[in-house]
Amino acid sequence: MENLPSLLEFIEAACRQAQLEEEIAFSVKLAVEEACTNVIRHAYPDGNAGPLHLGFRSDAAEVVVTLADEGIPFHPEQAPAPDLDSGWEERPIGGLGWHLIRQMMDEVHHEQGTPSGNRLTLVKRRPAMTRSS
Amino acid sequence: MQLSTENVGPAVVVRITGSVDSLTADTLLTALRLEVEAGNIRLVGDFGGVDYTSSAGLRALLATVKEARQKGGDFRLAAVQPGVHKVLELSGFTSILKLYNDVDAAVASFAP
């Protein structure tokens, strides 16, 4: 977890440099935080350290973030559906990370890394530019 | 993230500024828990200065709501900004948390 601040700073700086719309930057930062904490907790459990490569590219149409680790493979499609409806007494604490990633991003692709680990690609489309000329 | 606490009428207002994320949520939860344990169970979270939250922040909010309500009180949010509101909505939190437009309205909601 001690590297999380630098990962979040990297993504914030990249969003600023790309001059992303505020709402798009919010979504990207949130999805990246959820994905990074997921890798830190599940790909490298028990406080074990391991590499996490974070990539960012953007153009006028979209933002693409990639996360590559060499840890234990995970299967996002097997993440249990979140409980969004029960009352406060029954509502479980936690379990919203993947839900938020899927809600905030337009595309989420997960594949097994080569030779090991996970490769996650997050795509967020930017609003169509309005041109005045 | 910065925190400050103030007694306002029947409630304790916790003013939160900055990001409530994986790095700061534990600090927030600890501060809120101390209030509940001290008997300050009518809590208002002033979210006017919170520009970001993630699922880590949601965990702290839900844990506080549960602890306060179990003691007969509540943790109510005021002045939630649009980005954070969207996260609350997507997570189904708007159906269990009580939200108010401003701190005054949230404090007034605790008046007997």
Side-chain angles (χ1 to χ4, degrees), chain A residues 1 4-5 8 12 23 26-27 29-31 33-34 37 41 83-97 99-100 103-104 124, chain B residues 19-23 51-60 62-67 69-70 82-84 86-87 89-93 95-96:
Chain A
M1 274 298 187
L4 191 60
L8 296 182
E12 275 179 37
E23 199 185 332
F26 187 110
S27 300
K29 185 184 167 192
L30 179 56
E33 181 188 334
E34 302 297 347
T37 52
R41 289 211 180 89
D83 177 351
L84 306 176
D85 301 311
S86 63
W88 66 270
E89 295 103 324
E90 292 83 30
R91 189 72 66 94
I93 294 174
L96 290 165
H99 171 70
L100 285 174
Q103 293 290 318
M104 300 306 265
K124 182 73 180 174
Chain B
S19 287
V20 184
D21 55 25
S22 306
L23 308 171
D51 53 14
Y52 174 83
T53 192
S54 64
S55 67
L58 298 180
R59 280 196 292 274
L62 184 56
T64 306
V65 166
K66 283 176 182 261
E67 287 167 27
R69 287 184 185 174
Q70 277 157 6
V84 172
K86 185 179 174 187
V87 176
E89 223 164 22
L90 290 172
S91 306
F93 272 41
S95 64
I96 46 175

Side-chain angles (χ1 to χ4, degrees), chain A residues 11 28 30-40 43 52-56 63-70 73-77 97-98 100-102 105 107-114 116-123:
Chain A
I11 213 71
V28 170
L30 179 56
V32 169
E33 181 188 334
E34 302 297 347
C36 285
T37 52
N38 189 59
V39 168
I40 292 166
L52 169 55
H53 303 281
L54 190 56
F56 178 99
V63 183
V64 181
V65 179
T66 54
L67 289 92
D69 67 66
E70 295 168 20
F74 51 78
H75 302 281
E77 68 282 1
W98 276 111
L100 285 174
I101 293 172
R102 289 197 194 93
M105 293 293 104
E107 293 176 34
V108 178
H109 306 286
H110 174 268
E111 55 198 327
Q112 212 153 338
T114 43
S116 64
N118 304 277
R119 188 178 167 84
L120 188 67
T121 306
L122 309 172
V123 180

Side-chain angles (χ1 to χ4, degrees), chain B residues 1-4 14-20 24 27-28 46 49-50:
Chain B
M1 183 194 68
Q2 288 177 318
L3 296 175
S4 65
V14 180
R15 183 165 295 114
I16 309 157
T17 314
S19 287
V20 184
T24 60
T27 306
L28 176 63
D46 178 358
V50 177

Side-chain angles (χ1 to χ4, degrees), chain B residues 72-92:
Chain B
D74 200 0
F75 175 47
R76 300 176 180 172
L77 306 190
V80 176
Q81 301 300 297
V84 172
H85 193 274
K86 185 179 174 187
V87 176
L88 295 178
E89 223 164 22
L90 290 172
S91 306

